[in-house]
């Protein structure tokens, strides 16, 4: 009889894939149709099953009903005779074949048959050349062998049709039996008498040798225990093998209308025929009724368990060649977006093929065949990682029956492991690149790892360091030897992780190098418990010996001049401070000498020759100075000498003259004589102004340097003695510089404004004048603090402060038909500054001032040789409406041609020409020349410093456009200027009006 395998669609719990020859053909390729069924007992059996629920002899069997996805469960108690499919704890012995599969091991999905010709990939089928295993063959003579079959080519692992089983040797025909014509099984009386010898006695202990028909059938013993089943029965029972169960657990009810308890706990209506066999065994044949519909069952616990563990199971029946997936596995594939059945076969095929190859090799050639499970990983597209563990289910005789696999999603676990591995590698790479030594000690205080820096520090490779105890690393092994023994050999400097301060620093710990030498190290220790609870120490080791040597070198570099090897400024001050702190501080003197015009030597002979000259001067001082004197080099050509007792050196002036003589004279450099002179200054503690602390070395040195500047003003080669009268003003300037800087930052300055008027008294603009009210010294004159700002580099900061303040105040001035401009003098923020345009733009836009309300006054000397970018910046501001005025014109170095190029609209006549314009013909001529030149160039003129009516009338007669000076008003505070602007202007000699309550000088 040939079995028809109907193709099925999607079944509950999983997708079934029928592997047939062609579309619509439900027959497995190579299997014969019903027309080829043998006659005799096999045909009788087929006709018997054509009754109620059976199939006609020449008609295909109908497709079975839907199969549940629930997984088979074992009995409630291990070894109990529970009905087939009843629940049992994992590991119960009353399962199939003596082994109780768990909910994860048992399949509960739709079937997927493997093709007749090829199972997976390159190998055509399992066991194509050799019998499947050594225990019990599948079929009459061979397990899966293609060579021993007689036509048909059944697929690997399926039951062979009766017509294909071998009958007898030599091809002799005899009475056929329903199960292959073997009379030894009690299914016929055929013997080998046709060949002249008795038939061989069957082996009644090998139940798998009994050939069952393709229709659902099983073999049981006298006690009703199932001994052997075929693939059709397992499919009808839910693709599970009930071997080992008792027949009452599997079948319920009368044989004519019985119920088969499936693995998914559903009941299938069947007809039962029993056929006795030798050895008190019985073959039970089942036929399902066409209208049989299994009852519903609850699969929720198994499915919930698989969902919770993100896992599923599959089963591959080695006899039927079918693959079944649990519902949880199908759902897992769908969640991960995995295609379980691709062009190369099922995704589980590689694991099945691997295990089958191992089984074909046999236990002798494959010792691992006896293992309970075989593990691998599946990495489908999409980045998922699936763990697959496969175990082999066997018969009581040891023959493999099926493969049961568990699939679990381990993607997150593998990603976490990968992240941990990468993190560990990054840590190892980081430690390897650290230039400081790093070591790790285990619970016994032995080195388990170290980075290359520590190996280099200790002059030992890593293999030599591993296992070395910490106490052996120390170069002082006798220290705390007793306590080390009490602590299991751990040295005192290794704390227990339970210490309140587990991370600590050891300032100096001598370590032993491999060559026996010692190295002083600073060690930072971190004590922590490891994963197993034992202590773990991390050491960071730094060579402080090298640091100390570097500190010595740095200290020498800080106190010694590298060219002359004399003490530098810091070294010389240390000597002076030490002497001034002693009892003879009144006798200490400091002489400072500066070579006159030393730059000519570097320029004419080169810096190398200059260095030679300086070294020669240093040698003279070091050799010929009186006893108790220390010479040093302060800077390029500046030397200093500290004398411990100026009285022994011949007195203050004599000592200074001696130093000057040593620094003067003729020195031969590169074969050329060079005449030297030096300006010398000398100071004692009496020259230092009284203060809150005693005089120190830097006070004396600073006073001596001030005296050097005085000596240079007197002439080359002179000597000056410092006193409080010369040092005090210099100190005052330094203090004033610091206070001015603080005043700018604290907005402690203020502005006053002097109006610029026309001939009729109309206020055209007002010039901003800077004022400083000192909290201690009162009003500080601009003539005092502006030179300080120039020397200290504060001019630019002052200009920005004045510009911001003036623009903000001018934006609030009242208007009477026209906007009054504000004029700001610039001395530090000049057009040549790359940020000039941006700074002016930011101030004007930030204050909300009109562009035509700003006049920028630049002194003539700042406009000499302006680069083109500066002229472009000025031109851009002029286009916006800003006006430029040339202040103090005629007193600087600019030429008339330069004035012609400047984008300036106003020329201010300096007060030096205005003062004598009415009395001095020369001043009159110069003033007239300036006015005429400006008029010829299209510039307007403003006369500043006008103080008398005579000056006003003369300048007005020359054509001056505007006037500024005390004749009209002194500098006004902002409130007074507001009152003047609201009054409409100021009186002038050309008008009859005078300001309220007084003369033109009242303002």
């Amino acid at each position: 009889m040939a079995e028809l395998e109907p193709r099925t669609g999607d079944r509950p719990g999983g997708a079934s894939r029928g592997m047939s020859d062609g579309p619509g053909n439900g027959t497995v390729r190579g299997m014969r149709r019903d027309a080829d069924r043998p006659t005799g007992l096999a045909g009788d059996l087929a006709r018997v099953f054509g009754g109620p629920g059976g199939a006609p002899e020449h008609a295909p069997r109908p497709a079975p009903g839907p199969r549940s996805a629930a997984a088979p469960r074992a009995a409630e108690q291990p070894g109990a005779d529970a009905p087939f499919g009843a629940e049992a704890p994992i590991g119960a012995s009353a399962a199939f074949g003596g082994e109780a599969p768990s909910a994860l091991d048992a399949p509960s999905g739709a079937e997927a048959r493997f093709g007749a010709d090829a199972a997976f990939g390159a190998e055509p089928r399992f066991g194509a050349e050799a019998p499947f295993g050594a225990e019990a063959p599948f079929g009459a003579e061979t397990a899966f062998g293609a060579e021993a079959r007689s036509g048909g080519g059944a697929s690997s692992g399926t039951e062979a049709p009766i017509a294909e089983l071998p009958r007898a040797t030599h091809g002799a025909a005899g009475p056929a039996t329903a199960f292959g014509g073997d009379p030894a099984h009690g299914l016929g009386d055929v013997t080998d008498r046709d060949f002249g010898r008795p038939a061989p006695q069957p082996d009644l202990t090998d139940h798998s040798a009994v050939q069952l028909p393709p229709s659902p059938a099983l073999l049981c013993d006298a006690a009703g225990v199932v001994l052997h089943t075929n693939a059709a029965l397992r499919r009808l029972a839910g693709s599970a093998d009930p071997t080992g169960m008792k027949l009452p657990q599997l079948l319920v009810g009368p044989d004519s209308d019985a119920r088969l308890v499936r693995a998914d706990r559903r009941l299938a209506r069947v007809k039962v025929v029993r056929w006795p066999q030798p050895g008190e065994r019985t073959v039970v044949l089942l036929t399902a009724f066409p209208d049989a519909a299994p009852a519903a069952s609850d699969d929720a616990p198994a499915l919930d368990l698989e969902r919770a563990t993100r896992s599923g199971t599959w089963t591959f029946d080695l006899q039927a060649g079918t693959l079944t997936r649990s519902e949880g596995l199908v759902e897992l594939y769908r969640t991960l977006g995995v295609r379980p059945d691709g062009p190369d076969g099922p995704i589980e095929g590689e694991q099945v093929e691997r295990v089958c190859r191992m089984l074909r090799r046999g236990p002798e050639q494959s010792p691992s065949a006896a293992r309970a499970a075989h593990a691998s990983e599946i990495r489908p597209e999409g980045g998922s990682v699936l763990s697959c563990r496969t175990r082999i289910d066997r018969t009581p005789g040891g023959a493999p029956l099926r493969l049961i696999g568990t699939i679990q999603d381990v993607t997150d676990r593998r990603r976490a492991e990968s992240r941990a591995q990468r993190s560990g590698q990054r840590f190892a790479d980081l430690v390897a690149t650290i230039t400081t030594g790093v070591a790790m000690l285990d619970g016994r205080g032995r080195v388990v790892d170290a980075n290359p820096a520590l190996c280099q520090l200790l002059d030992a490779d890593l293999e030599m360091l591993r296992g070395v105890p910490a106490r052996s690393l120390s170069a002082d092994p006798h220290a705390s030897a007793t306590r080390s023994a009490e602590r299991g050999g751990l040295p005192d400097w290794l704390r227990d992780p339970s210490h309140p301060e587990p991370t600590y620093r050891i300032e100096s710990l001598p370590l032993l190098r491999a060559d026996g030498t010692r190295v002083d190290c600073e060690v930072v220790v971190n004590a922590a418990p490891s994963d197993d609870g034992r202590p773990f120490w991390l050491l960071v080791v730094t060579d402080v010996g090298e640091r100390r040597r570097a500190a010595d070198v740095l200290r020498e570099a800080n106190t010694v001049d590298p060219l002359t090897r004399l003490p530098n400024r810091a070294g010389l001050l240390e000597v002076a401070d030490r002497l001034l702190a002693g009892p003879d501080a009144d006798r200490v003197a400091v002489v400072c000498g500066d070579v006159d015009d030393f730059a000519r030597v570097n320029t004419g002979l080169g810096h190398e020759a200059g260095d030679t000259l300086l070294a020669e001067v240093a040698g003279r001082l070091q050799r010929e100075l009186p006893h108790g004197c220390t010479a040093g080099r302060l800077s390029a050509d500046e030397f200093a000498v500290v004398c411990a007792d100026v009285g022994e050196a011949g007195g203050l002036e004599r000592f200074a003259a001696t130093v000057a003589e040593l620094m003067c004279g003729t020195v031969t450099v590169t074969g050329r004589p060079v005449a030297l002179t030096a300006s010398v200054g000398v100071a004692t503690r009496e020259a230092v102004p009284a203060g809150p602390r005693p005089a120190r070395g830097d006070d004396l040195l600073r006073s001596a340097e001030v005296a050097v500047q005085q000596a240079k003003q007197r002439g080359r080669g002179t000597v000056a003695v410092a006193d409080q009268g010369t040092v005090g003003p210099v100190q005052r300037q330094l203090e004033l510089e610091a206070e001015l800087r603080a005043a700018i930052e604290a907005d402690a300055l203020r502005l006053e404004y002097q109006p610029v008027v026309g001939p009729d008294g109309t206020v055209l603009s007002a010039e901003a004048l800077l004022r400083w009210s000192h909290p201690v010294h009162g009003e500080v004159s601009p003539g005092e603090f502006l030179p300080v700002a120039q020397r200290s580099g504060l001019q630019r900061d002052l200009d920005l402060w004045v510009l911001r303040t003036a623009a903000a105040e001018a934006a609030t001035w009242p208007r009477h038909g026209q906007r009054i401009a504000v004029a700001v003098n610039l001395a530090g923020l000049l057009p040549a500054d790359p940020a000039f345009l941006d700074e002016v733009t930011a101030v004007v836009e930030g204050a909300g001032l009109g562009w035509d309300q700003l006049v920028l006054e630049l002194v003539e000397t700042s406009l000499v040789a302006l680069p083109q970018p500066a002229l472009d910046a000025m031109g851009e501001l002029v286009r916006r409406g800003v006006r430029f005025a040339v202040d103090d014109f005629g007193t600087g170095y600019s030429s008339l041609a330069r004035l012609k190029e400047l984008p300036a609209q106003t020329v201010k006549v300096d007060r030096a020409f205005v003062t004598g314009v009415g009395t001095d013909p020369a001043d009159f001529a110069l003033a007239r020349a300036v006015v005429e030149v400006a008029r010829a160039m299209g510039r307007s003129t403003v006369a500043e410093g006008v103080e008398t009516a005579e000056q006003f009338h003369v300048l007005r007669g020359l054509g001056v456009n505007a006037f500024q000076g005390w004749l009209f008003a002194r500098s006004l505070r902002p409130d007074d200027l507001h009152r003047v602007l609201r009054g409409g202007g100021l009186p002038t000699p050309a008008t009859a009006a005078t300001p309220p309550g007084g003369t033109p000088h009242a303002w």
Side-chain angles (χ1 to χ4, degrees):
M1 285 188 302
E3 179 188 1
L4 293 179
E5 177 64 21
R7 295 177 55 88
T8 62
D10 292 340
R11 298 180 179 178
S16 175
R17 186 169 66 93
M19 304 180 67
S20 58
D21 260 348
N25 186 358
T27 306
V28 177
R29 188 177 60 174
M31 300 186 68
R32 299 186 180 181
R33 300 184 180 275
D34 292 338
D36 300 326
R37 292 180 180 175
T39 58
L41 182 57
D44 294 338
L45 290 174
R47 283 187 291 274
V48 167
F49 285 98
E57 181 179 1
H58 298 290
R61 291 171 56 192
R67 302 186 181 183
S68 172
R73 307 180 186 272
E76 292 292 339
Q77 300 295 332
D81 294 336
F84 176 72
E87 296 187 2
I90 297 174
S93 60
F96 316 111
E99 183 175 350
S102 68
L104 294 180
D105 290 334
S108 64
E111 300 177 7
R113 293 182 60 90
F114 286 82
D117 288 334
F120 311 100
E123 294 199 17
R125 58 190 59 86
F126 307 127
E129 300 296 335
F132 190 90
E135 297 289 339
F138 292 83
E141 297 294 338
T142 62
F144 302 94
E147 297 181 3
R149 289 191 299 268
S150 57
S155 61
S156 172
T158 60
E159 295 290 338
I162 297 177
E164 296 180 9
L165 300 178
R167 308 287 181 132
T169 58
H170 308 295
T177 67
F179 300 99
D182 191 347
H185 297 147
L187 298 180
D189 55 355
V190 179
T191 66
D192 284 353
R193 58 183 177 273
D194 294 333
F195 303 98
R197 64 178 184 274
Q201 296 299 318
D203 184 5
L204 298 181
T205 62
D206 188 2
H207 309 299
S208 60
V210 177
Q211 298 301 311
L212 300 176
S215 58
L218 60 86
L219 178 68
C220 62
D221 59 10
V225 177
V226 177
L227 304 176
H228 181 43
T229 62
N230 63 1
L233 177 69
R234 289 190 292 273
R235 284 195 297 272
L236 183 61
S239 296
D241 188 4
T243 302
M245 295 182 60
K246 290 189 175 181
L247 200 57
Q249 295 176 306
L250 187 61
L251 292 174
V252 181
D255 290 352
S256 60
D257 190 8
R259 298 295 184 269
L260 172 66
V261 182
R262 290 168 45 87
D264 55 10
R265 299 185 302 282
R266 297 185 183 185
L267 302 178
R269 187 181 176 193
V270 296
K271 178 181 178 181
V272 180
V273 175
R274 304 174 187 266
W275 201 275
Q277 296 292 304
E280 297 184 349
R281 296 180 298 180
T282 305
V283 171
V284 180
L285 307 176
L286 306 179
T287 301
F289 281 77
D291 57 346
S297 62
D298 185 11
D299 301 329
L303 182 58
D304 290 343
L305 178 60
E306 291 182 337
R307 286 172 177 169
T309 58
R310 294 186 62 82
S311 62
T313 59
W314 57 266
T315 300
F316 180 72
D317 194 313
L318 293 174
Q319 296 184 18
T322 56
L323 177 70
T324 306
R325 299 186 182 103
S326 69
E327 183 177 357
L329 180 58
V330 175
E331 184 174 320
L332 177 64
Y333 285 156
R334 184 169 56 252
T335 303
L336 298 177
V338 175
R339 293 180 54 194
D341 299 303
D344 297 330
I347 194 172
E348 304 89 353
E350 184 177 351
Q351 178 74 355
V352 171
E353 186 177 7
R354 182 183 299 111
V355 176
C356 288
R357 281 200 305 267
M358 179 273 298
L359 290 173
R360 284 199 301 271
R361 287 194 297 268
E364 296 82 3
Q365 299 180 6
S366 179
S368 63
R371 292 185 300 179
H374 304 266
S376 66
E377 284 190 353
I378 302 174
R379 297 178 180 267
E381 295 181 0
S384 301
V385 182
L386 303 176
S387 173
C388 180
R389 297 183 61 84
T390 306
R391 67 180 181 85
I392 305 171
D393 198 9
R394 299 176 181 271
T395 64
L401 287 178
R402 61 179 173 267
L403 307 181
I404 301 175
T406 302
I407 300 287
Q408 187 173 18
D409 179 16
V410 295
T411 305
D412 293 340
R413 186 191 310 169
R414 293 295 179 263
R415 288 175 180 170
E417 292 172 355
S418 178
R419 286 194 298 269
Q421 183 179 5
R422 289 195 301 268
S423 176
Q425 185 61 44
R426 284 194 298 268
F427 175 76
D429 295 342
L430 175 62
V431 171
T433 56
I434 294 177
T435 57
T436 304
V438 178
M440 286 171 276
L441 309 181
D442 61 11
R444 298 182 298 169
R446 297 178 179 272
V447 178
V448 295
D449 202 358
N451 70 337
L454 183 64
C455 296
Q456 182 178 3
L457 178 64
L458 299 182
D459 192 23
D461 55 28
L462 181 58
E463 295 303 322
M464 184 184 300
L465 283 177
R466 279 180 175 154
V468 175
R471 65 176 183 275
S472 299
L473 293 177
S474 176
D476 190 8
H478 301 292
S480 64
T482 304
R483 290 196 59 191
S484 177
E486 294 174 357
R487 300 181 62 217
L490 296 178
D492 284 345
W493 50 270
L494 285 183
R495 294 178 181 174
D496 192 82
S498 60
H499 193 277
E501 296 181 1
T503 301
Y504 54 96
R505 181 189 303 271
I506 303 173
E507 297 293 339
S508 181
L509 180 67
L511 298 183
L512 195 64
R513 293 167 55 89
D515 57 2
T517 60
R518 55 185 288 163
V519 54
D520 292 332
C521 298
E522 176 190 79
V523 182
V524 177
V525 186
N526 176 262
S530 60
D531 295 341
D532 59 0
R534 302 185 65 185
F536 178 83
W537 291 275
L538 180 66
L539 310 182
V540 180
V541 184
T542 305
D543 182 4
V544 294
E546 184 66 27
R547 182 190 302 173
R548 290 172 181 170
R549 290 189 293 272
D552 294 340
V553 172
L554 185 60
R555 186 180 303 108
E556 181 180 351
N558 288 336
T559 58
V560 177
D561 175 56
L563 176 64
T564 62
R565 306 307 299 170
L566 294 178
N568 58 12
R569 182 182 293 271
L572 206 61
L573 289 177
E574 288 182 4
V575 176
D577 288 340
R578 186 175 64 252
L579 294 175
L580 289 172
D584 298 328
D586 292 338
R587 300 182 181 182
V588 177
V590 175
V591 174
C592 184
D594 190 14
V595 178
D596 296 324
D597 198 13
F598 179 74
R600 77 185 194 282
V601 179
N602 287 335
T603 304
L605 301 179
H607 288 275
E608 185 176 353
D611 291 345
T612 303
L613 188 147
L614 294 174
E616 178 63 25
V617 173
R620 285 185 182 183
L621 294 174
Q622 200 167 20
R623 291 190 305 267
E624 302 181 28
L625 278 174
H627 177 72
C629 295
T630 303
R633 183 187 178 206
L634 302 181
S635 61
D637 59 347
E638 188 177 7
F639 292 85
V641 178
V642 177
C643 181
D645 191 340
V646 71
E648 292 184 1
L652 189 62
E653 294 183 358
R654 179 57 190 162
F655 174 60
T658 301
V659 175
E661 290 174 2
L662 292 175
M663 295 184 65
C664 295
T666 301
V667 179
T668 302
V669 179
T670 64
R672 300 179 183 180
V674 178
L676 297 179
T677 60
S679 299
V680 176
V682 61
T684 62
R685 195 170 66 169
E686 296 178 355
V688 180
R693 58 174 178 79
R696 295 188 304 196
D698 58 341
D699 299 323
L700 268 66
L701 185 58
R702 186 170 60 252
S703 300
E705 289 177 330
V706 172
V708 169
Q709 299 303 319
Q710 290 182 334
K712 284 184 176 293
Q713 293 175 2
R714 297 175 186 173
R716 298 164 61 96
T718 58
V719 177
V721 179
D723 56 23
Q724 292 189 7
T726 58
V727 176
V730 177
Q731 267 189 325
R732 165 69 176 156
Q733 289 182 357
L734 293 175
E735 294 172 358
L736 203 62
E737 176 187 339
E739 292 168 349
L740 179 59
R741 194 183 302 274
I744 295 173
E745 295 176 354
D747 261 354
L749 304 174
R750 75 175 192 278
L751 290 180
E752 293 183 357
Y753 300 92
Q754 188 172 36
V756 177
V757 299
D760 59 352
T762 302
V763 179
L764 305 176
S765 64
E767 180 180 356
L769 303 175
L770 186 61
R771 298 292 183 262
W772 183 16
S773 297
H774 196 280
V776 176
H777 305 293
E779 290 294 327
V780 182
S781 162
E784 184 178 359
F785 68 79
L786 288 179
V788 173
Q790 182 179 6
R791 285 192 299 269
S792 59
L794 290 175
Q795 280 186 316
R796 190 177 191 277
D797 295 336
L798 274 179
D799 284 356
L800 285 172
W801 187 91
V802 172
L803 186 61
R804 284 194 296 266
T805 306
E809 292 182 352
T812 66
W813 289 350
R815 305 175 184 179
H816 290 280
Q818 64 176 0
R819 294 192 293 187
I820 309 302
V822 62
V824 178
N825 284 282
L826 298 180
L829 181 64
L830 299 176
D833 190 328
F836 175 74
L837 179 60
D838 294 336
E839 294 282 8
V840 174
T841 301
V843 169
V844 174
E845 293 178 349
L849 184 70
W851 289 102
D852 59 346
Q853 286 184 267
L854 180 62
V855 178
L856 299 178
E857 295 187 2
L858 303 171
V859 295
E860 184 182 0
T861 53
S862 66
L863 299 173
V864 177
L866 283 177
Q868 188 59 43
L871 296 176
D872 294 341
M874 294 176 66
E876 175 62 26
L877 291 176
V878 169
R879 282 191 293 273
R880 297 177 185 178
V882 177
R883 286 170 287 169
F884 285 91
V886 181
D887 199 8
D888 302 337
F889 183 76
T891 62
Y893 306 99
S894 64
S895 63
L896 296 177
R898 189 61 178 166
L899 178 62
K900 179 182 177 182
E901 298 174 1
L902 293 175
Q905 293 76 38
T906 304
V907 175
K908 300 191 75 171
V909 182
D910 190 76
R911 69 177 59 247
F913 305 144
V914 172
T915 301
V917 71
T919 58
D920 189 343
D923 287 346
F924 177 81
L926 289 173
R928 183 176 61 183
V930 171
V931 173
E932 290 179 353
V933 169
R935 185 186 300 115
M937 294 184 178
R939 270 74 164 177
S940 62
T941 54
V942 176
E944 56 183 357
V946 180
E947 298 179 357
T948 66
E950 182 182 9
Q951 293 171 349
F952 171 79
H953 288 299
V954 172
L955 291 170
R956 183 184 180 193
L958 292 177
V960 173
N961 303 105
F963 306 89
Q964 178 182 355
W966 286 4
L967 177 63
F968 316 102
R970 293 177 181 272
S971 59
L972 304 176
R973 291 181 179 269
D975 293 342
D976 295 334
L977 179 63
H978 275 251
R979 189 165 60 252
V980 169
L981 295 179
R982 286 194 299 269
L986 292 169
T988 70
T991 62
T994 58
T999 64
H1001 298 282
W1003 297 110

